[in-house]
Amino acid sequence: MTELERLKEALKSADTIVIGAGAGLSTSAGFTYSGERFEKHFSDFQEKYGFTDMYSGAFYPYATSEEMWAFWSRNIWVNRYLDPPKPVYENLLKLVKDKDYFVITTNVDHCFQKAGFDKKRLFYTQGDYGLFQCSEPCHDKTYDNEQLVLKMLQEQKDMRIPSELLPRCPRCGKLMTMNLRSDDRFVEDEGWHAAAQRYEYFLRGKSGRKILFLELGVGYNTPVIIKYPFWRMTLNNRNATYACVNFGQAAAPREIAKQSICINDDIGAVLKQLL
């Protein structure tokens, strides 16, 4: 039996499916941060500042906040409010929609909800491009940013936004920032804690059940969030299966080798074959 056939069988027979998703899943869906997509949306930034991908642009030391937010508003719009070019997330939903599933993800691009996944079965651990928070932060609340980001996008000129559009905290007046986990100032708001609790409750009482831990595109930047817990929970449950689909990084420790399925291929291609 091939690894693909084993995964198909595991999806079919599992009582519960826990999806762990990393950046590789969105990359497979076409959310690439360099190359043609970068040049289409950021060629002017490339010419002026010299960086060649969106990731580098996010960390560039802009001289002014107006320049920084010109980049970030465009970056947020492209990677949060536009749909990915390929239906990878939709195909994943087709495979699990009739199952008892839950998603934990380090992605911040909202692709799961846009594809139709149940909001109450999602835990975005690292934040959301669609939310602002106080940069201090002076309080634990986040703010939807779609309207302001769109305004920044429409009114930016020469890679600068008007100063009056700089996002400011409604409580202390300091500049806002993205709700992305990068240091100890990340705001875990009420919605974040509710999702964390739902994920914890979902896993409770599942010991001994036939669980498929389906890991998609998770690398080694933050393995303690998805990868290592999936390995540990598989080891502690002889009826569990760990499946890793990751182009270039599909592996499992020898302790759970017999319970593991590792497919080194493009996630989108694998999901198509499973359908």
Side-chain angles (χ1 to χ4, degrees):
M1 191 182 283
T2 66
E3 293 291 85
L4 188 72
E5 288 168 338
R6 288 183 64 213
L7 180 53
K8 189 176 278 192
E9 180 55 38
L11 280 162
K12 187 179 175 183
S13 63
D15 299 321
T16 297
I17 298 173
V18 185
I19 297 167
L25 181 61
S26 287
T27 300
S28 179
F31 266 9
T32 51
Y33 278 44
S34 59
E36 187 181 330
R37 189 165 176 265
F38 169 76
E39 287 160 16
K40 177 182 177 183
H41 296 287
F42 294 94
S43 59
D44 52 348
F45 279 87
Q46 181 178 9
E47 188 178 335
K48 181 174 180 179
Y49 300 103
F51 52 77
T52 57
D53 62 82
M54 297 178 217
Y55 190 77
S56 301
F59 291 96
Y60 188 86
Y62 299 96
T64 66
S65 295
E66 286 82 357
E67 290 170 84
M68 187 197 84
W69 279 107
F71 172 83
W72 266 104
S73 58
R74 208 182 296 184
N75 191 37
I76 292 168
W77 191 261
V78 165
N79 292 306
R80 168 64 169 77
Y81 294 109
L82 296 185
D83 290 329
K86 302 173 188 174
V88 172
Y89 282 86
E90 287 82 356
N91 287 341
L92 178 59
L93 181 59
K94 287 175 188 173
L95 286 167
V96 303
K97 62 184 172 68
D98 297 324
K99 291 282 188 176
D100 181 30
Y101 75 84
F102 205 102
V103 175
I104 177 170
T105 181
T106 52
N107 294 346
V108 294
D109 51 27
H110 214 63
C111 286
F112 281 102
Q113 272 178 256
K114 285 190 285 187
F117 280 79
D118 183 351
K119 184 180 178 180
K120 291 183 178 176
R121 293 174 179 265
L122 298 173
F123 180 24
Y124 290 92
T125 64
Q126 306 298 79
D128 183 348
Y129 271 147
L131 298 174
F132 285 160
Q133 65 167 74
C134 176
S135 58
E136 186 68 19
C138 70
H139 64 298
D140 293 338
K141 190 177 176 186
T142 58
Y143 300 86
D144 290 336
N145 63 24
E146 183 173 6
Q147 293 309 312
L148 183 53
V149 165
L150 180 58
K151 208 166 185 183
M152 289 181 191
L153 199 68
Q154 291 170 337
E155 296 188 26
Q156 63 180 251
K157 194 174 180 182
D158 300 323
M159 287 158 283
R160 295 172 64 91
I161 66 162
S163 298
E164 60 269 21
L165 291 184
L166 288 173
R168 295 200 174 272
C169 174
R171 294 202 188 176
C172 73
K174 290 193 176 178
L175 283 174
M176 303 268 260
T177 188
M178 286 66 61
N179 180 231
L180 307 176
R181 191 189 298 278
S182 58
D183 55 31
D184 59 2
R185 288 174 294 181
F186 173 69
V187 166
E188 296 174 354
D189 66 5
E190 191 179 329
W192 188 97
H193 284 287
Q197 193 173 59
R198 283 194 296 268
Y199 180 57
E200 187 186 328
Y201 285 166
F202 182 84
L203 292 174
R204 275 185 196 171
K206 296 285 199 298
S207 58
R209 292 186 64 180
K210 211 166 186 180
I211 302 179
L212 171 63
F213 292 101
L214 180 59
E215 184 191 290
L216 303 170
V218 176
Y220 286 89
N221 283 340
T222 52
V224 295
I225 296 171
I226 296 170
K227 190 178 286 289
Y228 293 169
F230 275 20
W231 289 355
R232 188 189 70 248
M233 289 186 285
T234 302
L235 183 63
N236 293 335
N237 179 359
R238 67 174 66 183
N239 293 318
T241 299
Y242 167 73
C244 175
V245 184
N246 200 348
F247 196 39
Q249 286 190 321
R254 57 181 176 79
E255 290 85 352
I256 58 168
K258 290 181 180 177
Q259 293 170 265
S260 298
I261 301 164
C262 296
I263 300 177
N264 181 7
D265 202 349
D266 174 67
I267 298 166
V270 171
L271 295 178
K272 268 187 182 177
Q273 292 176 76
L274 289 170
L275 285 168

